[in-house]
Amino acid sequence: MSTLHETGLLVVTYLWGSVPAGYLLTKLATGKNILELGSGNVGSTNVRRVAGKKWSLITQLFDMLKGLLPVALFLLLNNQPEDAQFVYLLALAAILGHDFSLFLKFRGGKGVNTTLGASLLLAPVAVLIAVALYFLVKWKYQYVSLGSIVLAISLPLTEMLMHGLSLSFYYLLACSLLIIVLHRKNIIRLLNGNELRA
């Protein structure tokens, strides 16, 4: 695959990831600008607070598909072994599009759902364990943000324990760091005891 072809795929994937589902669906459902409400985030948690559970679930599904579809299509259509590593860049492009949407002046979500979607076919066991830990922490402590942070930390750790310092590990480490950085305000509120509960 040529460099030009790769660059084009990355740009298209970033633009696909940039589609602000939470913003559009909240606007459709309520007429409100979600960027000005709640946490100001376009992720499914803030959509639930502003527009309700149904729209939150639709947002969550769409955000996961933003990561899953590019990876799935590449794995399905590409049969060149030398291009196999490129799929990790595609996954990151979708996640970065969601987190820093071109259509929202580089604002966006925190990338949890898009990361899960993008990683499902690349590291399925790590994703399933991370999701289980998320629900366990959320059930125990009632904080979506804490569950998301635990999920992020578990992704590369699980992959490392299973496969060592593989390319998947480094990819998931990048995803993990990105999620944690985007949750920095939540971490401060958790430490101060004034974080919003689920």
Side-chain angles (χ1 to χ4, degrees), residues 3 39-40 45 47 71-72 80 84 95-96 107 110 119 125 130 137 145 156:
T3 301
S39 65
T45 299
V47 172
V71 171
Q80 303 298 322
I95 294 165
L96 290 171
R107 294 178 65 179
K110 295 177 181 175
S119 307
V125 176
V137 171
S145 58

Side-chain angles (χ1 to χ4, degrees), residues 8-82:
L9 284 176
L10 290 174
V11 170
V12 170
T13 301
Y14 167 78
L15 292 174
W16 163 246
S18 287
V19 175
Y23 175 87
L24 295 172
L25 289 169
T26 300
K27 199 78 171 176
L28 175 67
T30 68
K32 298 176 181 177
N33 183 353
I34 196 172
L35 298 174
E36 299 172 353
L37 299 167
S39 65
N41 189 273
V42 298
S44 60
T45 299
N46 201 37
V47 172
R48 177 172 51 79
R49 292 172 180 147
V50 176
K53 187 174 182 181
K54 179 182 76 172
W55 295 103
S56 173
L57 291 173
I58 297 172
T59 299
Q60 190 171 32
L61 176 62
F62 193 92
D63 286 347
M64 291 184 72
L65 287 175
K66 287 198 288 189
L68 177 61
L69 284 182
V71 171
L73 287 173
F74 182 84
L75 293 175
L76 180 65
L77 300 175
N78 180 68
N79 56 6
Q80 303 298 322
E82 64 272 18

Side-chain angles (χ1 to χ4, degrees), residues 6 25 33-34 50-51 70 74 83 91 100 103 105 107 117 131 146 149 154 169 173 180 188 192 194:
E6 290 179 347
L25 289 169
N33 183 353
I34 196 172
V50 176
F74 182 84
D83 297 331
F100 307 102
F103 306 117
K105 299 180 179 179
R107 294 178 65 179
V131 170
L146 183 59
I149 293 164
S154 75
F169 162 75
L173 180 61
I180 291 170
I188 292 171
N192 291 336
N194 56 5

Side-chain angles (χ1 to χ4, degrees), residues 164-186:
L165 301 180
S166 62
L167 188 58
S168 292
F169 162 75
Y170 289 111
Y171 156 73
L172 290 174
L173 180 61
C175 294
S176 175
L177 292 174
L178 190 55
I179 290 172
I180 291 170
V181 167
L182 291 173
H183 277 85
R184 59 193 182 281
K185 291 181 180 179
N186 303 86

